[in-house]
Amino acid sequence: MVALVLPRLVGFEGPVRRSAAVAGRNADALRSAYWLVMISGFAEPVIYLLSIGIGVGSLVGDLTLPSGAVVDYAAFVAPAMLASAAMTGALAETTFNFFGKMKYMRLYEGMLATPVRPFEIALGELAWAMVRGSLYSAAFLVVMVALDLTSAGRALLAFPAAVLIGFAFGALGMSLATFMRSWQDFDLMASVQFALFLFSGTFVPAESYHPALRWLVEVTPLYRAVDLIRGISIGTDEVLGGLIDVGYLLLVTVVGLVIAGRRMTTLLCK
């Protein structure tokens, strides 16, 4: 009852409903081939986990973290693959697909002929991106538990963190997509995304890098995401570090949404 009354009291029922309609439109537009794309996006981090985390991990052995905890290498890599899966799912929806709808399909221009506003479109697209990111995250957590790389209880705690990561990268990707001029610009974004994947404490602790490079690594959004998930799944109990990670990702989400909403207003409401 509170959930139904509160939006009416604060005046958010209309915007929330319109944003949900944008997300619902994407759900209605699903085709069977789309699920093949989603499966491929989930398969990539699992392959990395099996090949590097377990395959190379058999040669590396146990890894001693800066906190002093000793963990299996696969258990060290798995949280990074989860964070990467959440990032990949969110970015795929809010960059490539979002750009196509806005630049070539002109879908959003039709939406603006209705009471839907640019910020509500951005929020609806982000909500839909989170459906994809959450599916990736949930499936990958099942794999982690099945391989005994974390406990079921920690997996349940890690899922909301993975959803937050998806929100952050979804908002970031959407804001970047509004600055894209053509499909060729996505080549640069793919390069940056792959660099983040390799150098965000994914396969080695950030402390292994040169101090100057380590500082650069630790300010990237994927590192904060990896650090948050790893702290939950391994159980390092670094409360302050976890709060910093959450605050960082929330800030990225808010800033990304604001930029995306304003840019869409500029581009679509000329």
Side-chain angles (χ1 to χ4, degrees):
M1 179 63 69
V2 173
L4 293 175
V5 174
L6 185 58
R8 298 175 186 272
L9 294 177
V10 299
F12 284 123
E13 183 189 35
V16 170
R17 181 177 295 176
R18 290 191 289 267
S19 298
V22 174
R25 177 264 163 204
N26 291 328
D28 292 338
L30 276 177
R31 296 292 184 270
S32 58
Y34 184 85
W35 295 103
L36 296 177
V37 176
M38 294 192 66
I39 291 173
S40 66
F42 163 73
E44 181 178 352
V46 172
I47 291 172
Y48 273 108
L49 174 62
L50 296 177
S51 61
I52 298 179
I54 297 178
V56 177
S58 63
L59 302 176
V60 175
D62 293 337
L63 193 66
T64 302
L65 302 181
S67 63
V70 178
V71 298
D72 182 77
Y73 186 69
F76 175 82
V77 170
M81 296 299 100
L82 171 58
S84 298
M87 175 187 72
T88 300
L91 284 180
E93 284 292 341
T94 58
T95 54
F96 194 85
N97 292 348
F98 179 81
F99 179 78
K101 294 173 186 176
M102 181 174 63
K103 186 79 172 181
Y104 294 98
M105 296 172 62
R106 304 288 184 181
L107 178 65
Y108 302 136
E109 293 181 5
M111 289 184 180
L112 290 176
T114 70
V116 178
R117 294 173 293 182
F119 183 79
E120 294 163 355
I121 294 175
L123 192 60
E125 289 291 351
L126 180 58
W128 173 246
M130 281 317 307
V131 173
R132 180 170 178 173
S134 297
L135 288 174
Y136 284 174
S137 301
F140 196 87
L141 282 168
V142 171
V143 172
M144 287 178 62
V145 173
L147 295 176
D148 198 26
L149 300 178
T150 191
S151 65
R154 292 193 179 278
L156 290 175
L157 292 175
F159 181 72
V163 172
L164 173 60
I165 292 167
F167 268 114
F169 278 100
L172 179 62
M174 195 181 308
S175 63
L176 291 176
T178 61
F179 291 95
M180 297 294 181
R181 299 160 298 179
S182 66
W183 295 115
Q184 283 70 32
D185 290 341
F186 285 92
D187 293 336
L188 177 60
M189 196 198 76
S191 299
V192 173
Q193 184 178 342
F194 189 64
L196 285 176
F197 175 70
L198 292 178
F199 300 104
S200 294
T202 313
F203 301 108
V204 295
E207 290 76 12
S208 302
Y209 296 115
H210 186 277
L213 182 58
R214 175 185 171 183
W215 178 87
L216 180 61
V217 166
E218 291 185 350
V219 298
T220 60
L222 184 57
Y223 173 80
R224 305 317 319 182
V226 171
D227 188 62
L228 176 61
I229 296 292
R230 187 171 284 150
I232 296 173
S233 65
I234 294 178
T236 57
D237 297 326
E238 295 182 2
V239 178
L240 179 59
L243 291 176
I244 292 174
D245 295 333
V246 170
Y248 180 103
L249 294 171
L250 285 174
L251 179 62
V252 170
T253 302
V254 172
V255 172
L257 269 176
V258 170
I259 293 175
R262 290 182 177 179
R263 285 287 299 166
M264 289 180 69
T265 301
T266 301
L267 295 172
L268 301 175
C269 301
K270 295 180 180 180

